[in-house]
Amino acid sequence: MMYQQPTMTRAAYRPEPDRPQRPRFQLAGRRVTQEMFYAAEQGKRGGNRVFFFTLTACGDETDVAPTVCANCLGAECLGLDVVTAGPLRDIPTPTGSSRAAWHAGAWWLVARAMYPCPVCMREIVL
């Protein structure tokens, strides 16, 4: 006696493909805007050092209140310094749009830019 397997006549379930998600841009383990990420990449491609920094309004990263954004530490913005000269031993005299900044144990001439935090999405008001 021969046994026949029953066959299914309806269409098989096919899950819908996942929608592509917007890429998450990160620098130094922090979420940043696309504009900030591309500015850092452009600075590095130009052969310059790039420093990412946060303005710590609420202490350090280990002591952030639950009501404060953990990405920007409550400062509502993130900063990027693209080095134009350095490292220097003495405080440099700013020229044009450059300014003096202390990073990694030395003085540098940098072009500084501030960007809004993409997590709390607050606008920078100067």
Side-chain angles (χ1 to χ4, degrees), residues 46-106:
N48 298 321
R49 286 184 80 172
V50 177
F51 293 109
F52 168 84
F53 66 93
T54 58
L55 303 172
T56 53
C58 297
D60 61 8
E61 298 174 19
T62 59
D63 187 29
V64 179
T67 58
V68 174
C69 175
N71 192 57
C72 65
L73 303 176
E76 301 175 1
C77 60
L78 303 167
L80 191 66
D81 282 346
V82 179
V83 173
T84 56
L88 307 166
R89 276 189 271 166
D90 298 320
I91 299 174
T93 304
T95 57
S97 63
S98 293
R99 63 180 307 244
W102 178 262
H103 288 292

Side-chain angles (χ1 to χ4, degrees), residues 13-29:
Y13 170 74
R14 292 185 188 169
E16 290 186 29
D18 291 334
R19 290 184 177 156
Q21 293 182 1
R22 292 183 65 179
R24 286 191 170 185
F25 297 98
Q26 290 191 333
L27 292 173

